[in-house]
Amino acid sequence: MSLLPKTFHDFSSKQYWNTFFARRGDKAFEWYGEYAELCGMLHKYVRPQDNILVAGCGNSTLSADMYKVGYKSITNVDNSEVVIRRMEEQHLTSCPEMRWALMDLTNLDSGDEEFSCVLDKAALDAMFTDGSPEIVDTVNKYFAEVSRVLRVGGRFVCISLLQEHIVTHLLSWFSQHSWMIRVCRCEDAERSQSESGQFSFPVFVIVCTKFKQMPNLRTVLESQLDGDEVRRAENASQVVERVRELQQYALLRHTLHTKSLAGEDTAVELCDPSTGKTRYTIHLVDSLRKTHSLRFAVFIVPHGREREWLFGTQTGRERLAENAGARRLIVVHLQRDQTYPSLAGVQDELSGRVMELAPTGLPSNTKVPFLSVGAELGEVHEIWRGESELSGGYVVEEVEAPGAPPLRRLVFLNNQNVIQSEARLVEAKEKKKRKKVGKESREIEDGKKGKGKESRETEDGRRGRGKGKDGEGSREGGVAGGDSGGGDGGTRPVDFSHLSCQHHLAMVGGMALAPPAPSQPQTNTPTPHVLLLGLGGGLLATYIHKYFPKHMGSGASGSSTCQGLYKVYLPWYLPSWVVTSE
């Protein structure tokens, strides 16, 4: 599977283009690739029999190279008399049928619908230097001339680096005139730059096909930004965003090759190109210590453990890099809505992308170690999904990560990096009894066929209908079978003796210093005097009720303001006595 990168690093568009203009010097054309790098894309969209207009030919050898492989009908135009004279003299013998003409691109001396292809390599970029009204007006005149000289079904093939104001206006103009638009990425040109040790700028080929204008004709907008697969884009802003992400990723790669990012929190999303959803989030960690023998390594965090301190915080990941003895460590987070075949399958998917982020000078044949916790990826099972009127969408999921106890979590989808509630689960102990029938004996599992009191408690506890000593289910040893809820996903009981949040431990410590509740004169029972506002998952309230009964009495102890979440807490986390909805 190909993975599309999206960087979160705070790189600005201005920095990206300042880097380009500072490095390109006088040889601007080399950044766009020569014929050898562009031919794969050109042969797909330009036919040998086309009558081709090369707009702003300059001193590029592209048209001469195309002529030599069979493109004979080529007219080269430029507004520089010196360039036209020099290029005509240079190619007079080798390309006798090729034409050269001095023309203004905003006022072409050509007939209507004379050409079937207009080819632009960097001419638009040279013309469209900024988004000022004067320059935009000039560009519009150029586009109008392209439209005039192209016949219906002809193509405007533009090779560009696509500054944001260029791609935005180009998509807008041709969409308004009902052209079909496809934005392609020329990876061969980028690869050539990278192999030569240069800053590898993304190079794009925009193919605009002229249609006969008809009422209510909708523009077709497509992109081919990863491999050969073409995808329909919903709108122009989607394409603009993907182009920007690729440019920022290129700058990130350049930065990683020129300096260390030690102390910086840098992350990149790798997306599934077929769905656009994030498949991996990778964090780049550079160590301050240059003495580590391991130059580069990748650590795959087991599914469900990405929010732990060691993996989920910048400080923790820096500690992880030190423990691994790596100068640069890539920490990979898996995503909750994705499925993964195996640890080896994840390595295969990531191997190409992570090598793009390797340190400078790392030999190409280096075997990069992939590290993890054990040999399994872990599993995350979604057992409930719903909508809260206050907090939006949420999921309840059970996490089985290697090296960690099973957990049940509540996560709000608008802030998926924060766990709203987390409970530790314990496996229900299946006790077996032997019952003799004649000389034979058979095992009967409690909760399935058992008829005794202990068996009934186990089964009722699993279904959330237990009749334990508190009237809601068995909670022996801090484990509540009946309190864990019903449904297929909620059969495992919650361990109410465990608090997963450090601040809950501090609050419980404060409870130990509080005086016990006064007794009611009539019944001589403690009066509850603790009100917990902001119930959350209710695990703290359950813990206090169990271990601080003198403070809680027998009344309700928590208040939830959201009916939607109240319905979640009760079956999946709580015994019924703990919640009041207000």
Side-chain angles (χ1 to χ4, degrees):
M1 175 187 292
S2 298
L3 297 169
L4 296 178
K6 178 191 293 184
T7 177
F8 287 140
H9 200 280
D10 189 20
F11 288 127
S12 67
S13 178
K14 182 178 180 180
Q15 181 185 355
Y16 177 87
W17 292 108
N18 284 346
T19 303
F20 166 69
F21 289 118
R23 292 179 60 86
R24 73 171 187 174
D26 296 328
K27 299 180 180 180
F29 279 112
E30 69 181 21
W31 298 101
Y32 296 78
E34 299 298 341
Y35 174 76
E37 294 84 43
L38 298 172
C39 62
M41 199 68 69
L42 293 177
H43 290 179
K44 185 182 296 186
Y45 298 108
V46 184
R47 299 165 299 180
Q49 64 269 29
D50 278 334
N51 186 18
I52 304 168
L53 174 69
V54 179
C57 60
N59 59 3
S60 172
T61 62
L62 179 61
S63 56
D65 292 332
M66 294 177 65
Y67 185 94
K68 294 173 184 177
V69 296
Y71 294 88
K72 301 300 183 181
S73 182
I74 299 178
T75 300
N76 301 276
V77 300
D78 199 282
N79 62 357
S80 171
E81 184 178 356
V82 174
V83 165
I84 292 297
R85 184 173 61 251
R86 182 179 300 169
M87 296 298 287
E88 187 173 17
E89 293 173 355
Q90 181 178 340
H91 299 290
L92 182 61
T93 304
S94 59
C95 307
E97 299 175 53
M98 195 154 59
R99 297 173 294 277
W100 304 86
L102 179 66
M103 289 190 194
D104 179 359
L105 294 183
T106 65
N107 187 21
L108 295 171
D109 186 18
S110 301
D112 295 350
E113 300 188 357
E114 181 177 340
F115 298 97
S116 58
C117 178
V118 175
L119 179 58
D120 176 329
K121 178 186 175 184
L124 178 62
D125 287 6
M127 179 189 303
F128 209 164
T129 54
D130 59 54
S132 63
E134 297 80 6
I135 291 179
V136 170
D137 183 60
T138 300
V139 171
N140 287 341
K141 291 178 181 178
Y142 170 45
F143 288 165
E145 283 294 275
V146 169
S147 178
R148 182 182 66 81
V149 302
L150 263 181
R151 64 191 62 162
V152 174
R155 288 170 173 167
F156 174 49
V157 180
C158 180
I159 304 169
S160 170
L161 299 181
L162 287 187
Q163 289 180 260
E164 186 166 346
H165 66 276
I166 294 178
V167 62
T168 301
H169 188 72
L170 185 149
L171 296 180
S172 174
W173 195 95
F174 286 98
S175 295
Q176 291 174 10
H177 292 78
S178 303
W179 290 47
M180 177 180 175
I181 308 169
R182 180 176 293 177
V183 180
C184 308
R185 180 183 176 191
C186 187
E187 297 186 66
D188 287 340
E190 299 174 37
R191 195 173 297 112
S192 175
Q193 296 175 35
S194 179
E195 291 173 354
S196 63
Q198 299 173 347
F199 180 6
S200 179
F201 289 92
V203 177
F204 301 94
V205 178
I206 306 91
V207 182
C208 304
T209 305
K210 181 180 178 180
F211 284 178
K212 184 177 181 180
Q213 292 198 9
M214 300 175 61
N216 303 319
L217 179 64
R218 295 187 61 183
T219 298
V220 177
L221 178 58
E222 298 175 331
S223 66
Q224 183 184 339
L225 301 175
D226 185 72
D228 295 328
E229 187 172 354
V230 177
R231 297 181 178 85
R232 184 71 61 89
E234 296 179 2
N235 50 59
S237 60
Q238 188 180 72
V239 177
V240 172
E241 179 64 23
R242 283 297 304 127
V243 168
R244 183 191 302 117
E245 289 165 359
L246 290 171
Q247 292 167 344
Q248 292 178 341
Y249 183 66
L251 185 57
L252 171 63
R253 291 177 57 192
H254 173 69
T255 303
L256 289 172
H257 282 79
T258 55
K259 72 173 187 177
S260 170
L261 293 180
E264 299 184 33
D265 189 10
T266 303
V268 176
E269 281 187 352
L270 298 180
C271 303
D272 184 340
S274 61
T275 63
K277 292 184 177 180
T278 300
R279 185 158 175 80
Y280 301 98
T281 300
I282 59 178
H283 297 266
L284 293 87
V285 184
D286 279 349
S287 175
L288 291 171
R289 298 175 59 183
K290 304 300 182 183
T291 56
H292 290 316
S293 58
L294 184 59
R295 295 189 60 188
F296 186 51
V298 180
F299 190 97
I300 301 174
V301 179
H303 215 175
R305 297 192 63 180
E306 58 275 352
R307 297 177 186 85
E308 295 180 16
W309 176 85
L310 188 63
F311 311 124
T313 66
Q314 179 183 347
T315 306
R317 291 189 289 268
E318 290 172 353
R319 175 71 61 82
L320 181 65
E322 292 299 316
N323 293 343
R327 298 186 214 174
R328 174 170 293 169
L329 183 67
I330 302 294
V331 182
V332 181
H333 288 186
L334 311 181
Q335 302 299 308
R336 69 160 36 84
D337 58 349
Q338 298 287 311
T339 56
Y340 305 91
S342 63
L343 188 61
V346 170
Q347 293 180 21
D348 290 340
E349 284 189 33
L350 291 173
S351 57
R353 284 299 180 193
V354 297
M355 287 306 297
E356 295 176 345
L357 306 174
T360 303
L362 191 70
S364 58
N365 60 349
T366 301
K367 188 174 181 180
V368 178
F370 280 76
L371 314 174
S372 189
V373 179
E376 301 295 331
L377 281 177
E379 298 180 0
V380 176
H381 304 285
E382 182 181 305
I383 58 176
W384 188 260
R385 179 180 289 260
E387 192 81 15
S388 161
E389 62 268 26
L390 297 181
S391 305
Y394 62 83
V395 294
V396 179
E397 59 189 18
E398 290 190 355
V399 178
E400 297 184 38
L407 301 169
R408 183 173 297 153
R409 289 171 174 168
L410 171 65
V411 179
F412 291 124
L413 297 179
N414 60 2
N415 192 8
Q416 298 188 33
N417 292 324
V418 176
I419 300 171
Q420 173 68 16
S421 298
E422 180 178 271
R424 189 167 68 184
L425 304 178
V426 293
E427 297 288 350
K429 296 180 180 179
E430 294 185 349
K431 298 181 179 180
K432 297 182 179 181
K433 299 175 66 177
R434 286 189 172 273
K435 182 179 179 180
K436 289 186 177 182
V437 182
K439 295 183 180 181
E440 298 179 353
S441 65
R442 59 179 180 176
E443 295 181 349
I444 302 178
E445 296 184 6
D446 292 345
K448 292 183 178 179
K449 298 180 181 179
K451 303 300 181 180
K453 176 181 178 182
E454 185 178 21
S455 171
R456 289 194 299 273
E457 287 181 354
T458 302
E459 182 172 2
D460 290 342
R462 286 177 177 268
R463 295 179 181 175
R465 298 194 301 268
K467 301 296 182 181
K469 61 182 179 181
D470 291 312
E472 293 297 332
S474 175
R475 286 179 290 275
E476 298 295 333
V479 177
D483 302 338
S484 65
D488 293 338
T491 57
R492 287 191 294 184
V494 173
D495 182 357
F496 289 127
S497 68
H498 173 74
L499 292 176
S500 59
C501 300
Q502 293 297 316
H503 61 276
H504 283 174
L505 296 175
M507 295 168 72
V508 168
M511 288 286 299
L513 303 177
S519 299
Q520 298 181 9
Q522 296 85 353
T523 60
N524 199 32
T525 59
T527 301
H529 70 166
V530 174
L531 175 64
L532 181 60
L533 299 176
L535 183 65
L539 299 171
L540 175 61
T542 311
Y543 185 93
I544 295 175
H545 182 275
K546 182 174 182 62
Y547 293 104
F548 293 86
K550 293 183 179 180
H551 294 77
M552 300 301 294
S554 58
S557 59
S559 176
S560 173
T561 60
C562 179
Q563 285 284 348
L565 293 181
Y566 169 80
K567 296 176 182 178
V568 176
Y569 297 145
L570 187 58
W572 297 111
Y573 288 93
L574 304 175
S576 60
W577 52 260
V578 82
V579 183
T580 60
S581 179
E582 297 179 359

